[in-house]
Amino acid sequence: AQTVTQSQPEMSVQEAETVTLSCTYDTSENNYYLFWYKQPPSRQMILVIRQEAYKQQNATENRFSVNFQKAAKSFSLKISDSQLGDTAMYFCAFMFSYGGSQGNLIFGKGTKLSVKP
Amino acid sequence: GAVVSQHPSRVICKSGTSVKIECRSLDFQATTMFWYRQFPKQSLMLMATSNEGSKATYEQGVEKDKFLINHASLTLSTLTVTSAHPEDSSFYICSVRTGTNTGELFFGEGSRLTVL
């Protein structure tokens, strides 16, 4: 069974600084997706960034980037130039992919990020 | 992407009553929708996969007779919490998979259920 572990329940960062959220996962699958989702206080989950396991290049979306270490099964999220609007719960998630079909999304327990002015 | 809307966003009910939560895919015909439950300060736990025109697939430990799921059309799935009790109080979130090869899910705003 796949598991996703986020070891940092809470983190804080000063506005404009950089913060890294950790995520490790365990799987025997070779083809899968990894995601970081953000859940702001308004509660609707939105996708921050995704990574396909077969791609060696780390995904980047504006101020958000990941450090994907497949052998180590690590998938950390780096937020640069943190903004107050980045304050939210961040969930790391895993989904296996096989033969065109996709498994269920498995979430970590989340990291609560607070950006301080 | 897909726009997903849930209704109601908040509902309070008395113990023993039933509550229906709607999940609508506003701009996409979704053959599959997912229902999650989230306890305070906890992660999302998949409850069931809702399939249009057929029975839902429930995760282990989820009572199918308590959490009735109906996916009668490509744009609407409903979750009915039957004979609700205080321990059913939670945040219920639905999501839609658009079928592209991105693996991405699109989430509704969630519904906060409080059972008195």
Side-chain angles (χ1 to χ4, degrees):
Chain A
Q2 293 86 11
T3 58
V4 178
T5 302
Q6 292 179 249
S7 58
Q8 305 151 315
E10 293 191 39
M11 292 191 74
S12 64
V13 63
Q14 290 295 129
E15 198 175 5
E17 297 293 308
T18 296
V19 64
T20 298
L21 308 184
S22 301
C23 173
T24 59
Y25 59 96
D26 189 24
T27 184
S28 57
E29 304 289 339
N30 194 46
N31 298 316
Y32 51 87
Y33 300 102
L34 294 164
F35 306 87
W36 279 97
Y37 278 91
K38 171 184 178 181
Q39 189 180 38
S42 65
R43 306 309 290 265
Q44 186 163 22
M45 299 271 286
I46 53 176
L47 179 68
V48 175
I49 199 166
R50 63 185 286 274
Q51 175 84 40
E52 290 136 317
Y54 70 88
K55 289 187 176 179
Q56 292 185 336
Q57 187 173 5
N58 289 324
T60 299
E61 287 289 343
N62 301 314
R63 297 183 295 107
F64 300 88
S65 62
V66 298
N67 183 3
F68 175 45
Q69 301 290 328
K70 190 172 183 180
K73 296 179 182 175
S74 171
F75 184 62
S76 61
L77 173 70
K78 185 172 82 172
I79 305 174
S80 303
D81 186 24
S82 297
Q83 300 175 0
L84 297 178
D86 295 333
T87 293
M89 281 290 288
Y90 286 82
F91 291 98
C92 179
F94 170 99
M95 177 189 293
F96 84 81
S97 175
Y98 178 77
S101 64
Q102 295 155 355
N104 296 323
L105 200 58
I106 299 169
F107 289 93
K109 291 191 174 182
T111 297
K112 183 179 180 181
L113 176 67
S114 298
V115 180
K116 300 185 184 302
Chain B
V3 179
V4 182
S5 179
Q6 281 183 243
H7 179 79
S9 58
R10 294 176 183 270
V11 56
I12 300 173
C13 69
K14 293 182 178 180
S15 185
T17 61
S18 294
V19 173
K20 179 184 287 187
I21 299 170
E22 295 184 346
C23 176
R24 294 185 183 274
S25 176
L26 299 182
D27 58 353
F28 177 78
Q29 293 188 322
T31 56
T32 302
M33 294 185 179
F34 302 91
W35 285 96
Y36 292 85
R37 182 173 181 176
Q38 185 180 28
F39 290 104
K41 299 183 180 180
Q42 297 288 321
S43 187
L44 281 73
M45 299 300 295
L46 180 65
M47 297 175 64
T49 302
S50 171
N51 304 298
E52 188 269 336
S54 64
K55 291 182 179 180
T57 304
Y58 290 82
E59 295 300 301
Q60 192 173 12
V62 177
E63 298 177 61
K64 59 182 67 176
D65 293 331
K66 164 164 275 294
F67 299 100
L68 301 179
I69 292 173
N70 183 281
H71 193 157
S73 78
L74 290 172
T75 58
L76 174 64
S77 175
T78 61
L79 168 68
T80 301
V81 183
T82 62
S83 186
H85 289 94
E87 58 265 31
D88 298 325
S89 298
S90 191
F91 196 63
Y92 294 89
I93 306 173
C94 72
S95 70
V96 165
R97 175 177 285 160
T98 60
T100 64
N101 262 350
T102 66
E104 182 179 357
L105 295 186
F106 297 88
F107 290 84
E109 312 96 318
S111 300
R112 165 76 60 198
L113 170 63
T114 301
V115 184
L116 301 177

